[in-house]
Amino acid sequence: MQFADRLNNVETSAIRELFKLLGKPGIISFAGGFPDPALFDVEGIRESTDAVLKNNPGPVLQYGATEGWQPLREGISTHMASKGATVAPDGLIVTTGSQQALDLIGKTMISPGDKVIMEAPTFLATIQCFRLYGAQVIGAPIDANGVDVDKLEALIEEHKPKLVYLIPTFGNPSGAMLSLERRKRILEIAVRTQTLVVEDDPYGELFFDQAPPPSLLALSDSVPGSRDWLAHCGSFSKVLSPGLRVGWLIAPPALLSRATMCKQFSDAHTSNLTQATAAHYLTLNRLPTALKAVRATYAERARVMAECLQRELGDAIAFDQPQGGMFFWARLTGAHGKGQNASEFAKRAIEKLVAFVPGAPFYANDPDPSTLRLSFATADVAKIEEGIGRLGQAL
């Protein structure tokens, strides 16, 4: 059997392969990027599902418009306005999770050999997705304040990429938050160089103490011409439920129309039942209360994880304290002459019944083998304390 040549550009996710090792009894996992199911607003989602099936079952269970369930498009428009971004309902399409939005961007924008700039490190699935369409991926370095804009600008000038992909707020895996100054500069660079910037924002509402700077989308109104060079991917997966598979794509009209056409070829439309459920849920005004509980829980877990890492691993590990999101991005320093390779460390950790994700797969090129990602989202405080203690033993 001869498969498509494009499959030569990708390989099975190293993270998914790691999950195969997590079936051991008693293992504590910091590996997954999943929200805590205990924090799902099950009551609100049940109320909304019951309501849409009772009040309007025919259209909800029928085929629908590729662009999305109109009440949900209107609800997302209102939701974005609450975050400072002006978007008309017809200025977005509903997607099956933000992952599909990224795939549609790949389908519509990337031809084999096109150059794409991403943060280094960045979301592994996007690296794989864009490579599947033949992109030559180039990494732009980041720090605690997000992508290094000076170096990003130089890379854009050098490579003339088809697009730039960024996770400005609490990125996966870095947890970094792009500063307000850098956000404005990126929009200005996009206009000057006429480069499409793709903003992926699944974590922006998971802040702890202070709200992050406005999204690139929200700031685009103050930078003339920048909306023409900006696409925004959003999702309810991390703030409501990933099982609903409801995301959205906001983009310039020409890109949005082509993405809609490609979505017709993929799945015709996102499930009307989940779209209607999400639309009704937004009318209940329960999301702010649900988010408040999620933020408080994640903030406490992040604080405990930081204290435990410092206590159990000391100067053998370096990290920046996240201000939101779901992840710690750390580097093994080799301070004690061992453990600099995170993949080897991960194997020893599994033996101690604790798991994390080595950082190398999150780099499109030139990976740092000493890096690793730890998620604090699904483990409670007791498991975090026990799990980080096991990491100390493994080290």
Side-chain angles (χ1 to χ4, degrees):
M1 190 177 297
Q2 187 172 358
F3 296 103
D5 291 343
R6 72 176 65 91
L7 294 181
N8 297 330
N9 298 324
V10 295
E11 57 187 19
T12 301
S13 167
I15 298 175
R16 293 291 177 183
E17 290 298 305
L18 176 66
F19 286 166
K20 295 178 182 179
L21 303 175
L22 302 184
K24 293 183 178 181
I27 199 162
I28 295 175
S29 176
F30 304 129
F34 305 151
D36 188 344
L39 297 173
F40 295 158
D41 183 7
V42 177
E43 180 181 341
I45 294 173
R46 180 185 294 114
E47 179 181 342
S48 293
T49 304
D50 289 347
V52 300
L53 286 174
K54 179 180 179 180
N55 299 331
N56 202 21
V60 166
L61 298 175
Q62 183 57 278
Y63 285 109
T66 301
E67 294 84 353
W69 183 260
Q70 189 60 24
L72 179 58
R73 297 174 82 192
E74 294 168 0
I76 293 171
S77 174
T78 301
H79 180 68
M80 296 304 297
S82 72
K83 301 193 292 181
T86 303
V87 184
D90 62 359
L92 64 93
I93 62 172
V94 179
T95 58
T96 305
S98 61
Q99 185 69 49
Q100 186 185 51
L102 295 170
D103 182 68
L104 292 174
I105 288 171
K107 284 180 178 176
T108 56
M109 295 299 300
I110 298 173
S111 299
D114 282 346
K115 294 180 178 180
V116 172
I117 296 176
M118 300 178 170
E119 295 157 308
T122 193
F123 184 39
L124 173 58
T126 307
I127 298 176
Q128 295 171 317
C129 173
F130 289 175
R131 276 182 172 161
L132 185 66
Y133 295 114
Q136 178 184 342
V137 182
I138 299 161
I142 66 171
D143 56 30
N145 293 312
V147 69
D148 184 323
V149 178
D150 290 334
K151 293 181 179 177
L152 174 63
E153 184 174 19
L155 288 171
I156 291 174
E157 296 286 0
E158 177 184 357
H159 294 285
K160 306 295 190 293
K162 180 63 72 73
L163 60 89
V164 173
Y165 169 76
L166 302 172
I167 313 175
T169 310
F170 315 133
N172 177 4
S174 69
M177 184 176 70
L178 192 67
S179 67
L180 178 61
E181 178 185 359
R182 292 186 183 187
R183 292 173 192 243
K184 291 179 179 178
R185 279 194 60 198
I186 286 171
L187 292 174
E188 293 165 355
I189 292 168
V191 175
R192 181 176 60 78
T193 62
Q194 296 193 341
T195 302
L196 177 68
V197 173
V198 177
E199 177 183 37
D200 195 4
D201 189 28
Y203 307 100
E205 295 185 86
L206 301 181
F207 57 86
F208 298 157
D209 297 322
Q210 293 183 330
S215 66
L216 296 178
L217 184 69
L219 289 171
S220 65
D221 288 339
S222 64
V223 181
S226 60
R227 187 64 75 94
D228 295 334
W229 299 100
L230 180 65
H232 178 96
C233 302
S235 172
F236 287 132
S237 290
K238 303 302 189 294
V239 300
L240 183 55
S241 161
L244 288 175
R245 306 310 303 134
V246 172
W248 56 90
L249 172 62
I250 299 165
L255 171 54
L256 203 64
S257 66
R258 286 162 175 79
T260 302
M261 178 181 67
C262 288
K263 181 172 168 61
Q264 291 172 358
F265 309 150
S266 297
D267 64 358
H269 64 90
T270 299
S271 163
N272 281 344
L273 177 57
T274 59
Q275 287 190 78
T277 297
H280 186 274
Y281 183 87
L282 291 176
T283 68
L284 299 179
N285 199 33
R286 295 177 65 106
L287 186 58
T289 300
L291 271 173
K292 184 177 180 180
V294 171
R295 291 167 184 155
T297 300
Y298 287 177
E300 173 68 4
R301 291 174 182 178
R303 181 189 65 78
V304 172
M305 181 170 278
E307 292 175 353
C308 292
L309 286 169
Q310 291 168 346
R311 181 177 67 247
E312 301 294 341
L313 281 78
D315 58 359
I317 194 168
F319 59 88
D320 291 309
Q321 180 76 27
Q323 301 175 55
M326 298 166 60
F327 306 108
F328 273 82
W329 182 247
R331 181 176 59 84
L332 298 172
T333 65
H336 302 298
K338 53 188 172 182
Q340 288 179 285
N341 187 310
S343 294
E344 293 300 317
F345 184 34
K347 294 176 184 177
R348 297 199 303 273
I350 289 288
E351 294 174 359
K352 298 293 184 181
L353 298 180
V354 61
F356 61 84
V357 179
F362 295 101
Y363 291 86
N365 36 53
D366 300 320
D368 182 348
S370 70
T371 55
L372 61 143
R373 189 192 76 178
L374 299 153
S375 174
F376 49 80
T378 55
D380 61 27
V381 167
K383 286 186 177 179
I384 289 173
E385 292 173 339
E386 173 65 22
I388 301 300
R390 295 179 187 180
L391 278 185
Q393 297 169 17
L395 186 68

